[in-house]
Amino acid sequence: MLNAARVALLIALSLVLPARAYARDPRSASPPGVYGELDASSMLAFGLMPVAGIGVSSALALRWLDASLWLEARAFKALSRNEGAFLGQVTGAEAGAASLCRHREAVFLCYVFQLGAIHVSAVDGLRPQASSVPWFVTSGARGGAEWRVSRHLQVRGFLELHLALLRPLLRVSTLAQGQTSRVAAIAGIGLTLPVSLR
C-alpha cells in the first residue's frame, strides 16, 4: 500500500513540475509584439488660452512591451469671454500632440510635445491685432493610470503639466506682451480600444 502511494506521488510530481518549470521559463513565452490603440478623451485645460477651456481629443498609439508612442489631435472651446484681451475674442484652440510614454502595470508617465493655434474672432466689429501671433508650443509631462473594464476596453485618466515654449504675443513697437500663461495644465479622462495592426 505504501509503495503504491509513493508511486502515485512520484507520477503526480513528474507531471506538475515540468509544467511549472516551462511556465516560469522566460524563453517559453514570447514577448508581445507591437499593437495599436485608439483613444477618445474629454479634457479640461488651463493656461493654453487666456481663459479656461474644455476639449476633446482623438489619438492613435503604438504600444510595445512597456513603452508607447502617441499621436493626438485636440480641439478646445473657451468656457468664458476673455474681456480686455488684446488678441480679440478667443473662441477656442486646436492642437496636435506627440508623446512618448513608459508604462508600469496600470500607471504611465509620458513626455509630451504640443503645437497649436488659438482661434480669435472680432469684438464689436474690431479685427484682432494684426501683429499678434496666435500660435503656441508647449512641452511637458503627463502622468496617469489605466483601468481595464473589459477585455477590449480601458478607461484612462491623466494630468498634464506644460511649459510654454512659444505663446501668443501682442507686439507694440519693441515691446511684447504675452497673452497666455507660461504654464498650462490639462486634465482628462478617456476610453482606449486595442487595434490590430495586421
Side-chain angles (χ1 to χ4, degrees):
M1 242 2 231
L2 186 59
N3 290 337
R6 287 182 179 176
V7 170
L9 179 61
L10 289 175
I11 292 174
L13 288 176
S14 66
L15 293 175
V16 171
L17 290 179
R20 285 187 177 179
Y22 179 78
R24 292 179 181 177
D25 186 0
R27 296 171 297 178
S28 64
S30 59
V34 178
Y35 65 97
E37 289 183 343
L38 284 177
D39 179 84
S41 301
S42 59
M43 300 175 294
L44 184 61
F46 301 92
L48 288 182
M49 302 176 286
V51 295
I54 57 173
V56 294
S57 73
S58 59
L60 173 63
L62 294 178
R63 291 280 298 266
W64 66 97
L65 298 179
D66 60 350
S68 66
L69 174 65
W70 291 78
L71 298 176
E72 188 173 357
R74 299 175 167 183
F76 299 93
K77 181 176 177 57
L79 285 176
S80 61
R81 296 175 61 87
N82 52 311
E83 299 294 344
F86 293 105
L87 280 175
Q89 182 63 49
V90 172
T91 58
E94 291 182 353
S99 56
L100 184 62
C101 303
R102 179 73 184 268
H103 300 259
R104 187 172 182 86
E105 297 180 351
V107 178
F108 58 88
L109 183 64
C110 312
Y111 167 76
V112 185
F113 180 82
Q114 182 176 232
L115 169 65
I118 292 177
H119 296 294
V120 181
S121 64
V123 179
D124 298 330
L126 300 177
R127 300 301 300 168
Q129 293 285 341
S131 59
S132 62
V133 180
W135 294 94
F136 62 87
V137 176
T138 67
S139 176
R142 175 198 301 146
E146 299 171 327
W147 299 272
R148 184 171 297 279
V149 295
S150 71
R151 183 178 178 183
H152 298 292
L153 183 65
Q154 289 184 356
V155 176
R156 186 171 66 107
F158 62 90
L159 176 64
E160 296 180 9
L161 297 177
H162 290 259
L163 290 177
L165 306 178
L166 173 67
R167 57 189 181 139
L169 296 177
L170 172 69
R171 298 187 183 277
V172 179
S173 184
T174 59
L175 301 177
Q177 180 177 349
Q179 298 298 290
T180 60
S181 173
R182 291 188 180 274
V183 295
I186 301 174
I189 186 167
L191 298 176
T192 303
L193 296 169
V195 177
S196 176
L197 299 178
R198 295 182 181 178

